[in-house]
Amino acid sequence: MKGKGLRYSIVVLVAVLLLSMGAGSVSADTVTGVPGKYSKEINYLIGENIIKGYPDGDFHGDDKVTRAQAAVMVGRMLGLSGEKRSTDFPDVNKSLYASGYIQSAKEKGIITGFPEGDYRPNKSMTRAEMAYLIVKALRLETKSDVTFTDIPKSSKLYDYVNKLSTAGISEGFPSGEYKPDRIISRTEFSLFVARGMNKEFKVSSGTEEPMEVLEKQIVTADFLNVRNGAGSNNQIVGKIYTGDTVSVYKKEGSWYYISSGNIKGYVHSAYLMDKPSKTYKIAIDPGHGERDPGASANGIVEKELVLDVSKKTREYLENAGMDVVMTRQSDWYPSLSGRVAIAERNNATEFVSIHANAASEGANGVETFYYASGMTGREFNSYKLAKFINERLYKEMDMTDRGVKNGNFHVIRETSLTAVLTEIGFLTNKEDAGKLKTQHYREAAARAIALGVMDYYNWKE
């Protein structure tokens, strides 16, 4: 899987190219990659020049929608002026492809921006933000008795989501949730706009007919194709990614019918694992920092590498529903005792310190440490956590397995938490370092650590 941060940057860059193209550059007949299930709605929007294909001719329905892109689509839907001009938002420059639509929507009272006064055009749009935008754009007023389990009636958002749902523009999820913080994909936002423009596409009710959720699972593959039938020969209707949570409704042999966000279909069960039933809090400790660079070899500085991998690990864990405490999020140096204190003060129950190794040029591979002076319950749990992480790590990194070892390191010794320290490769080994320079293997390391943590939680339960 490409890094999620990397995918986001590419989306923003390509979007600038896309939205600067002339209206006649693509047509419904030339855009590829349109999901078959929603081809009517999306091709309708393409025909109306509301959306366009990317420069490569593909629809890219799984890509995230930024607030700038959403403003452009809504502006085109309402026929607002898109001519580039100065805006009331300090972070929206006149040269931005969406500046005209953003300012026009601001003047119509459709867009208000954030309390700080900025618009944040490159921020990915959530389902909550989409509700505010569409309701204001279409001036929806009618409400009904539709409710969602994750939006209290007392909240300001409830009225907007209720109006959107009552109008047949948005659906809830089989669990009864709306999931306001979930990021909107290009396909999802297109559906909302199409339903707002054409009553033929509206959904009949605010929530879909409920299905019994058999269990919750987590995706373990870098990405997993979702198909419209049980079998690899069936059409792909979407993709889900590492750490995404899916609801399983039925099982047909090794294929499961699932939903994740607005994506529904069949996936192979080999790429799923049980989702822990509880929300755990784990501390992630990027080693070294600031005045302590750690190891340095082959063009890599340890403190920079492990911070990058730690942030990616946090993203995977949070996507899986876990709470994460970071001992550092930038280039500064908390003391060894300070790292432990941060974790314990924030009520974490597990502690994972991430490092990279250095030795002779021939030394290579991954290894993970726990501390035990005897074998108390905490020490045994630390051993198990180390085993789960290391087993995932050496396979994902395609490196030598140096094993799980008892190590006398301060951060895993002087703590009451289940604690491990993992070394993700040797900077002094050219082959290991070559991998650790790439985003592919940094993502692999983060994915392995996060999945190892999930393995541990499932074992613990």
Side-chain angles (χ1 to χ4, degrees), residues 224-242:
L224 183 55
N225 289 326
V226 182
R227 301 178 182 273
N228 63 1
S232 57
N233 293 328
N234 288 285
Q235 181 182 356
I236 297 173
V237 296
K239 286 182 174 64
I240 48 182
Y241 299 91
T242 307

Side-chain angles (χ1 to χ4, degrees), residues 127-128 130-131 148 150-151 161 164 170 173 176-180:
R127 284 172 59 86
M130 177 277 299
F148 297 94
D150 55 348
I151 301 180
V161 173
L164 195 72
S170 176
F173 292 86
E177 299 171 294
Y178 179 75
K179 301 187 180 181

Side-chain angles (χ1 to χ4, degrees), residues 241-443:
Y241 299 91
T242 307
D244 283 352
T245 298
V246 304
S247 298
V248 179
Y249 301 105
K250 61 181 177 179
K251 301 178 180 181
E252 297 182 20
S254 57
W255 289 83
Y256 291 178
Y257 181 72
I258 62 92
S259 73
S260 180
N262 278 355
I263 300 174
K264 292 182 180 179
Y266 289 85
V267 298
H268 199 285
S269 60
Y271 305 103
L272 299 175
M273 67 184 293
D274 290 339
K275 177 179 172 61
S277 61
K278 302 176 183 177
T279 298
Y280 295 92
K281 180 176 284 190
I282 183 167
I284 299 297
D285 172 44
H288 308 283
E290 198 180 32
R291 66 179 184 273
D292 175 16
S296 180
N298 287 306
I300 307 176
V301 179
E302 183 181 1
K303 67 174 183 177
E304 298 170 355
L305 166 67
V306 298
L307 179 60
D308 188 22
V309 171
S310 295
K311 288 180 175 180
K312 296 178 192 301
T313 303
R314 174 181 61 184
E315 185 175 358
Y316 281 122
L317 288 168
E318 289 180 341
N319 283 349
M322 300 298 109
D323 290 335
V324 179
V325 176
M326 296 285 286
T327 61
R328 69 179 181 97
Q329 301 185 60
S330 59
D331 186 22
W332 74 287
Y333 179 78
S335 67
L336 298 180
S337 59
R339 296 168 193 266
V340 173
I342 290 170
E344 295 189 342
R345 184 170 63 246
N346 285 278
N347 300 313
T349 52
E350 285 76 32
F351 181 97
V352 177
S353 190
I354 301 176
H355 290 255
N357 243 325
S360 64
E361 186 176 341
N364 65 91
V366 302
E367 56 191 354
T368 305
F369 295 89
Y370 67 99
Y371 172 77
S373 58
M375 193 51 79
T376 64
R378 183 196 75 83
E379 292 169 346
F380 181 67
N381 284 345
S382 297
Y383 165 75
K384 293 296 290 187
L385 177 57
K387 286 279 286 184
F388 285 122
I389 288 176
N390 204 73
E391 183 73 12
R392 291 275 187 180
L393 192 58
Y394 85 83
K395 292 177 181 177
E396 286 279 353
M397 299 297 285
D398 191 23
M399 288 183 180
T400 300
D401 177 17
R402 297 173 62 90
V404 171
K405 303 173 182 178
N406 191 345
N408 190 25
F409 299 103
H410 181 101
V411 291
I412 60 175
R413 183 187 69 236
E414 303 298 325
T415 179
S416 62
L417 307 181
T418 297
V420 302
L421 184 150
T422 189
E423 302 272 8
I424 62 175
F426 279 78
L427 302 187
T428 45
N429 179 269
K430 289 184 178 179
E431 185 175 347
D432 282 9
K435 290 181 177 180
L436 292 170
K437 285 180 179 179
T438 70
Q439 286 299 314
H440 173 79
Y441 279 100
R442 293 184 183 197
E443 285 282 347

Side-chain angles (χ1 to χ4, degrees), residues 41-58:
E41 293 94 330
I42 292 170
N43 283 328
Y44 167 78
L45 294 179
I46 294 172
E48 294 292 323
N49 284 323
I50 304 298
I51 58 175
K52 307 172 184 180
Y54 276 58
D56 64 1
D58 197 88

